[in-house]
Amino acid sequence: MPPSALDRLASLHIEYPMLFEIHNAAAERTSHCGVLEFIAEEGMIYMPYWMMQNLLLQEGDMVFIKNANLPKGTYVKLQPHTTDFLDISNPKAILEKTLRNFSCLTTGDSIMVAYNNKKYYIDIVETKPSNAISIIETDCEVDFAPPLDYKEPEPVKPAVPADKEPTTEAPAEEEPKFIPFTGSGRRLDGKASKDKDVLASSPAKRQANATNSVQPSTATTSQGSSSRKATGKLVFGSGGSRADKAPEKEAKEEPKKEEPKFSAFTGKKYSLKG
């Protein structure tokens, strides 16, 4: 700024540090800044190019400058233009070093951070407690918004080959049903069991054998009754029944062969001495 501005400000008893509001009436843009030196030519001020871009100014344009009292900032939210700023090893340290060169921040402005021969532009998205704050000798909380060119990764869908047809599920095989008491019996003496076939047979086979054994008996009774009717004789009294029961009694009186009974511990003993 020119030296005449310093003389005018000193007579107004303003508060320090000196902060100013710059207004571009043609573009209706407003920003805030500090002052570096009072050595400019009369009627002229010099400002960085990025500040001219914020105010939409060209060289030689007219601006209005007035003194401003800004509150100390407590919160600021920043948004980088590109994701390259996040690739810096320690962006927080670089940002703290850069902000030392700034005296105030205004919501809607963009600041430039120079690092490793590259320029990074960052937008001021939000400031508290007002739209313009002072960051001189203050403890300010800094938050970052996603960069402008940031894109969320799309969810990866599993690739399905086009020529592959959906496979139909094969019919489940029926599990064999559990049938109890289908094992075979063993004797303690090692001899073959006579009821081996009966024990080894399943309940279904036992039922089938039972039905087969019943059918012949019914057949014989029907044959006996038909033979009686065929002779044409009538039998009165109990003689006929006795004659019929006589063969049954004879059959019952036949002596049954006794099966050898099993007796435990009947083997021979042997001595280890021989």
Side-chain angles (χ1 to χ4, degrees):
M1 296 178 68
S4 60
L6 177 60
D7 297 337
R8 179 63 179 168
L9 292 170
S11 62
L12 295 176
H13 304 285
I14 63 173
E15 294 182 3
Y16 291 88
M18 294 182 182
L19 299 177
F20 302 92
E21 178 184 317
I22 304 177
H23 179 67
N24 181 8
E28 294 295 332
R29 297 295 295 269
T30 303
S31 184
H32 298 79
C33 66
V35 60
L36 182 61
E37 290 179 332
F38 292 92
I39 57 173
E41 298 176 5
E42 291 295 332
M44 298 182 63
I45 61 172
Y46 296 90
M47 63 178 61
Y49 180 71
W50 60 267
M51 185 179 293
M52 294 178 63
Q53 289 180 327
N54 289 334
L55 296 171
L56 303 178
L57 290 173
Q58 299 293 333
E59 293 184 5
D61 290 347
M62 180 71 68
V63 294
F64 296 91
I65 301 177
K66 68 177 182 179
N67 178 253
N69 295 324
L70 301 179
K72 290 187 177 182
T74 58
Y75 174 82
V76 59
K77 188 173 185 180
L78 308 177
Q79 184 177 30
H81 285 195
T82 61
T83 56
D84 296 341
F85 182 75
L86 303 179
D87 296 335
I88 299 176
S89 60
N90 194 355
K92 184 179 179 181
I94 301 300
L95 188 62
E96 288 179 353
K97 182 180 179 181
T98 304
L99 290 179
R100 290 173 186 172
N101 300 326
F102 291 83
S103 56
C104 58
L105 296 175
T106 306
T107 302
D109 285 356
S110 295
I111 61 175
M112 189 268 295
V113 177
Y115 175 73
N116 200 15
N117 298 327
K118 193 173 182 179
K119 296 179 180 180
Y120 301 94
Y121 289 91
I122 301 175
D123 292 341
I124 311 299
V125 179
E126 184 181 0
T127 57
K128 293 181 181 180
S130 64
N131 293 334
I133 58 173
S134 171
I135 58 173
I136 298 175
E137 296 180 357
T138 181
D139 187 8
C140 187
E141 180 183 356
V142 179
D143 190 13
F144 284 92
L148 294 177
D149 61 349
Y150 176 76
K151 294 182 180 180
E152 294 184 359
E154 298 180 356
V156 180
K157 297 181 179 180
V160 179
D163 56 348
K164 187 175 181 181
E165 298 179 356
T167 57
T168 57
E169 295 182 357
E173 297 181 357
E174 295 183 358
E175 297 181 357
K177 296 181 179 180
F178 172 71
I179 302 175
F181 308 110
T182 56
S184 59
R186 300 285 182 180
R187 294 178 56 148
L188 295 175
D189 56 359
K191 295 182 181 180
S193 176
K194 293 183 179 180
D195 299 333
K196 184 177 181 180
D197 297 336
V198 178
L199 293 171
S201 62
S202 62
K205 292 181 179 180
R206 295 177 186 175
Q207 187 176 0
N209 294 334
T211 53
N212 294 333
S213 62
V214 172
Q215 290 177 358
S217 62
T218 56
T220 53
T221 53
S222 61
Q223 289 177 1
S225 60
S226 61
S227 61
R228 289 176 184 176
K229 294 178 181 179
T231 54
K233 294 180 181 181
L234 296 176
V235 180
F236 297 94
S238 60
S241 61
R242 290 177 181 176
D244 296 337
K245 292 180 180 178
E248 295 179 2
K249 290 181 179 181
E250 292 177 359
K252 290 181 179 179
E253 290 176 357
E254 291 181 1
K256 294 183 180 179
K257 296 180 180 180
E258 295 182 357
E259 296 180 359
K261 296 182 179 179
F262 170 72
S263 56
F265 307 106
T266 57
K268 299 178 180 181
K269 63 181 180 177
Y270 295 93
S271 176
L272 295 176
K273 296 180 180 180

